[in-house]
Amino acid sequence: MAAKRLNVLIYSGTGSTVESVRHCVYTLRRLLSPNYAVIPINGETIIKEPWSASCALLVFPGGADLGYCRILNGEGNGRISQFVQRGGAYLGLCAGGYYGTKRCEFEVGNKQMEVTGDRELAFYPGTCRGCAFSGFVYHSEKGTIAAELKVEKSSLAGAAIPDFFRSYYNGGGVFVDAAKYKDQGVEVLASYAQKLDVDSGEGAAAVVYCKCGEGGAVLTGPHPEFAPVNLNRNTDVPGFSKVIDALTEDDKARTDFLKACLTKLGLQVNREENAVPSLSRLHLSSAQPSEVSELVASLQDIITIRDGEEYIKGENDTFHLEKPSTWSLSSLAESLTGVSSEKTDDEAGEDSDIDYSKVVKRIRAHDSDHPASKETPYFNHHAFFANLRHYQGFSKESEGDFGKSILYGEVVTSTNTMLEKNPQLLQRLPTGFTATATVQIAGRGRGSNVWVSPAGSLMFSTCIHHPLEKMNQAPVVFVQYLAAMAIVEGIKSYNPGYKDVPVKLKWPNDIYALDPSKPKEKSYVKIGGILVNSSYSGKEYLLVVGIGLNTTNAAPTTSLNALLSPHLQPFTLEKLLARILTTFEELYTRFLRTGFDRGLEELYYRHWLHTLRGDPSDQVITLESHNGVRARIRGITRDHGLLLAEELGWEDRKTGKVLQLQTDSNSFDFFKGLLRRKV
């Protein structure tokens, strides 16, 4: 049973350039979201982390491939080769294209710039030789041209594939004698149409596809991922504006060609390019609107006044507390259309790359009533607070703090980032304060993961002040388990009739569902994840518990609504959020009082993906971090939440040794039966 590959990983370590990585992220997110999470990673991740099982595409951007060699030669390249040979996909752009060949020849005869030598990946069995066009200068646009490319349409699928298009070029190579390697699985996808300044052998291959075992690689000399909207017209290079004009004219053709390349690598590509939306206004509200003023008053010591306006200058973000008088018809129109007026001049270009940490986040405090539906058309505050009160009426333990005050935005960077990366603000927010959103454009997961968070996902982050005095009885590591239990229990107690919704939790904190697309198989897919960030402050731990759960959206895996029987009403985000928060608070309040007692342990196992007949399963796994030893899962410890694994010897007989494994240093691949070391 294989886990679905949802990550597109872009190498951003030694050798890559910031600009090339940003262009990759910008373009690939627009072509692949919400089906994939596009994530920059470094060389250490490639060498040491278990990235391959969840990776759909590994991308090496422009830069200097000697840096790639220095970090990844040996073990790193071995893992990349194995990934591709076993069905993975590799996209090498310019320097990443050189890197993916058997031999690199760059500026031969130029003593200051010459780079020659064999390369380990060797997806392309020949040589990549450059520069295809002379004039290249490192970290400059002086050698940039709009390279004319002739597309080999017979090698690509799709109705909108262009015959020709112009692509950004700056220092890339040509794949020498590409046509001669046809019998080795090489296909030419595009050729240079202009006269080259190096010997290209037979043909002038600019982009090639290489079949490698069960997988494949696309290697390019030019940069089809560079979008002209992100190029700087103010550079002092003569004629560069004309290059941008030419690229702009052919931008649709460039995009269509890149879509066809990604499709050839087996990825699911959007029919239309998805623009990342602008950040929206944030709305602060409480179950009792009058309590909003009290909450704002508690922030006074971190509020500064500038030109008569109030701001919170956080460590990562700046928040503008809008006065009621600024809530005009024009600003309402901004909120509904997603047009943000506070972008700086260099950020305001249409659909260009933006550093969102520099964008001021506007907050409106609703101290007289809940936000109206016209202000927040995708989140009904009245319904949320009504359901919160309804579920709180069933609670025996909670004080009604979780969800009492919420911060909602239609489009945000990340609910976790807004709280956790601004510790001065976080310290002053009460336990149970929750940030939620309709769309996240930079959602975060454990380790290097990014949880794909399109509209239809339930996304929220809740603050908890965990007392230091409770650490012996109630260790903070269990909070992730409580959150996972709250999600599953919240789903099953949403309304009468929902207790059989087939959702499970996977150690330590992922949510899985029975795949409705495979009704004859007992196949599970991930539909949710939990990220808990903690920091120590005085006599308490400050926790931000972030949760993402596919609720009404089918991509990237499946959703809760797809699991429901026809007679059940679909989940709504407002009601489900209220149910999970009230369940979470009840479990957490009990945990503070009793610790992770026998009752909580039994509840955890009841929903465990590794459970058989109500007890911890006899699933056998391989411990990569213990030299491949086989072990049987026996559960978790009640003192520190460690995974218990019973070591097995010859013919899977018990050796008598029991291993205890930590959640933050190991990654459990349930479907492959592997427990991997995380770094």
Side-chain angles (χ1 to χ4, degrees):
M1 190 186 304
K4 188 173 181 180
R5 294 180 170 185
L6 298 177
N7 291 337
V8 171
L9 306 180
I10 300 174
Y11 177 77
S12 60
T14 300
S16 66
T17 66
V18 173
E19 285 304 307
S20 291
V21 172
R22 291 183 69 181
H23 276 282
C24 282
V25 171
Y26 174 90
T27 294
L28 293 177
R29 280 183 176 166
R30 281 157 174 73
L31 298 184
L32 299 175
S33 177
N35 299 305
Y36 304 93
V38 179
I39 312 167
I41 60 169
N42 57 27
E44 186 177 33
T45 299
I46 290 177
I47 295 171
K48 296 182 178 179
E49 288 199 22
W51 54 270
S52 60
S54 60
C55 179
L57 175 67
L58 180 63
V59 182
F60 270 70
D65 91 320
L66 276 181
Y68 304 165
C69 296
R70 190 159 53 248
I71 299 299
L72 298 170
N73 274 359
E75 185 177 359
N77 285 335
R79 298 189 77 185
I80 295 171
S81 295
Q82 185 181 73
F83 162 69
V84 176
Q85 289 287 335
R86 292 181 176 180
Y90 174 97
L91 176 60
L93 302 158
C94 196
Y98 284 112
Y99 190 57
T101 63
K102 186 176 182 179
R103 181 171 177 79
C104 169
E105 294 182 0
F106 180 81
E107 289 295 286
V108 175
N110 184 332
K111 293 182 179 181
Q112 292 183 332
M113 298 179 65
E114 179 175 336
V115 177
T116 60
D118 294 339
R119 297 292 182 260
E120 293 181 348
L121 294 180
F123 299 135
Y124 179 73
T127 298
C128 184
R129 182 175 293 148
C131 297
F133 303 100
S134 61
F136 173 74
V137 177
Y138 278 109
H139 310 297
S140 170
E141 301 287 7
K142 289 183 179 179
T144 302
I145 67 168
E148 298 178 16
L149 302 181
K150 180 181 183 300
V151 179
E152 303 296 334
K153 299 177 70 172
S154 61
S155 296
L156 297 166
I161 301 171
D163 294 306
F164 289 87
F165 73 98
R166 288 166 291 185
S167 173
Y168 179 97
Y169 170 91
N170 192 5
V174 59
F175 299 94
V176 179
D177 290 325
K180 294 182 179 180
Y181 297 110
K182 185 176 181 179
D183 60 347
Q184 297 183 48
V186 173
E187 300 176 50
V188 177
L189 305 184
S191 300
Y192 293 110
Q194 296 146 292
K195 186 178 184 302
L196 303 182
D197 294 327
V198 294
D199 181 8
S200 63
E202 182 179 335
V207 183
V208 295
Y209 169 80
C210 311
K211 179 67 176 172
C212 309
E214 297 178 11
V218 168
L219 311 177
T220 79
H223 283 278
E225 83 284 11
F226 271 41
V229 69
N230 289 322
L231 298 174
N232 182 11
R233 290 183 178 272
N234 297 324
T235 181
D236 58 0
V237 175
F240 187 61
S241 287
K242 292 183 178 179
V243 171
I244 296 177
D245 290 338
L247 296 176
T248 302
E249 290 178 8
D250 287 4
D251 196 45
K252 183 181 184 305
R254 172 195 68 86
T255 302
D256 289 339
F257 174 76
L258 189 54
K259 285 181 181 180
C261 291
L262 294 170
T263 300
K264 193 170 184 71
L265 288 171
L267 278 81
Q268 183 179 346
V269 181
N270 298 325
R271 292 184 180 180
E272 299 296 331
E273 187 175 349
N274 282 345
V276 174
S278 299
L279 299 183
S280 64
R281 177 179 278 107
L282 301 169
H283 298 268
L284 180 63
S285 61
S286 291
Q288 297 297 326
S290 59
E291 294 178 352
V292 172
S293 297
E294 298 174 14
L295 181 58
V296 173
S298 70
L299 306 176
Q300 284 302 314
D301 58 335
I302 59 171
I303 292 176
T304 59
I305 307 296
R306 191 173 74 213
D307 297 329
E309 298 292 330
E310 294 183 330
Y311 293 86
I312 297 174
K313 176 64 175 174
E315 290 80 352
N316 188 75
D317 299 287
T318 298
F319 301 92
H320 176 199
L321 296 172
E322 294 183 333
K323 297 177 180 178
S325 60
T326 65
W327 185 248
S328 62
L329 289 177
S330 60
S331 61
L332 174 59
E334 283 181 13
S335 179
L336 296 180
T337 58
V339 178
S340 177
S341 63
E342 69 273 336
K343 292 179 186 175
T344 59
D345 290 342
D346 61 338
E347 294 168 339
E350 182 181 353
D351 200 26
S352 60
D353 197 10
I354 296 171
D355 183 354
Y356 287 101
S357 67
K358 296 180 180 178
V359 178
V360 176
K361 284 77 179 173
R362 299 169 294 163
I363 299 178
R364 188 193 182 209
H366 294 261
D367 56 4
S368 60
D369 196 2
H370 300 318
S373 58
K374 286 185 178 180
E375 299 170 33
T376 60
Y378 298 101
F379 188 86
N380 188 322
H381 286 75
H382 291 275
F384 167 73
F385 286 116
N387 281 293
L388 191 71
R389 288 191 297 271
H390 169 72
Y391 288 127
Q392 286 170 344
F394 299 124
S395 176
K396 299 176 182 178
E397 298 246 11
S398 66
E399 297 293 328
D401 292 332
F402 282 42
K404 182 171 71 173
S405 295
I406 65 171
L407 183 68
Y408 165 78
E410 182 182 326
V411 182
V412 305
T413 50
S414 160
T415 56
N416 254 47
T417 297
M418 286 195 301
L419 300 179
E420 187 251 336
K421 295 297 184 182
N422 296 289
Q424 287 193 73
L425 174 62
L426 176 62
Q427 289 173 15
R428 292 162 174 80
L429 297 174
T431 287
F433 182 91
T434 296
T436 186
T438 297
V439 174
Q440 287 187 151
I441 58 177
R444 296 165 58 203
R446 293 183 76 232
S448 60
N449 294 326
V450 173
W451 180 248
V452 182
S453 47
S457 292
L458 176 59
M459 298 165 285
F460 65 97
S461 299
T462 298
C463 305
I464 296 177
H465 295 254
H466 191 76
L468 182 63
E469 64 190 42
K470 294 287 187 179
M471 280 298 290
N472 288 333
Q473 176 179 306
V476 74
V477 68
F478 282 100
V479 172
Q480 61 185 329
Y481 299 152
L482 299 176
M485 293 157 63
I487 294 170
V488 176
E489 281 288 303
I491 291 168
K492 291 178 176 289
S493 62
Y494 179 81
N495 258 349
Y498 288 74
K499 64 181 179 63
D500 294 325
V501 176
V503 289
K504 296 280 188 181
L505 56 90
K506 180 178 83 71
W507 184 85
N509 52 17
D510 288 329
I511 309 300
Y512 276 68
L514 202 61
D515 190 346
S517 68
K518 301 176 181 178
K520 295 182 180 180
E521 303 176 22
K522 195 173 183 180
S523 176
Y524 284 86
V525 293
K526 182 176 177 180
I527 63 165
I530 301 162
L531 174 65
V532 181
N533 293 110
S534 64
S535 58
Y536 177 70
S537 176
K539 297 182 179 181
E540 63 186 10
Y541 281 91
L542 296 175
L543 308 181
V544 177
V545 183
I547 291 172
L549 183 65
N550 288 352
T551 305
T552 66
N553 55 300
T557 55
T558 189
S559 67
L560 287 176
N561 281 345
L563 306 175
L564 297 179
S565 301
H567 68 281
L568 295 176
Q569 290 293 316
F571 288 99
T572 66
L573 297 177
E574 296 88 349
K575 186 172 181 178
L576 184 58
L577 175 60
R579 189 60 189 128
I580 292 175
L581 285 173
T582 52
T583 306
F584 191 11
E585 182 173 12
E586 189 161 4
L587 291 172
Y588 179 70
T589 304
R590 173 177 171 175
F591 173 64
L592 287 179
R593 180 170 53 83
T594 68
F596 200 72
D597 60 21
R598 181 70 66 183
L600 290 175
E601 182 186 35
E602 291 174 354
L603 181 63
Y604 183 73
Y605 288 145
R606 188 183 307 160
H607 302 307
W608 220 25
L609 189 60
H610 326 291
T611 294
L612 186 64
R613 294 183 296 274
D615 294 317
S617 79
D618 60 353
Q619 182 188 1
V620 175
I621 60 173
T622 300
L623 302 176
E624 288 190 351
S625 58
H626 289 72
N627 298 319
V629 167
R630 286 169 62 80
R632 178 176 286 113
I633 297 175
R634 303 309 300 166
I636 59 172
T637 65
R638 283 171 52 196
D639 53 357
H640 298 296
L642 305 179
L643 184 71
L644 288 172
E646 191 174 55
E647 185 181 80
L648 302 176
W650 178 255
E651 295 183 342
D652 284 349
R653 294 175 182 174
K654 300 177 184 178
T655 66
K657 184 177 181 180
V658 177
L659 304 170
Q660 296 186 0
L661 306 164
Q662 298 180 37
T663 63
D664 58 356
S665 61
N666 294 282
S667 177
F668 187 26
D669 189 335
F670 170 78
F671 300 105
K672 289 191 174 182
L674 295 175
L675 194 76
R676 297 186 171 98
R677 178 67 176 250
K678 280 200 73 175
V679 178

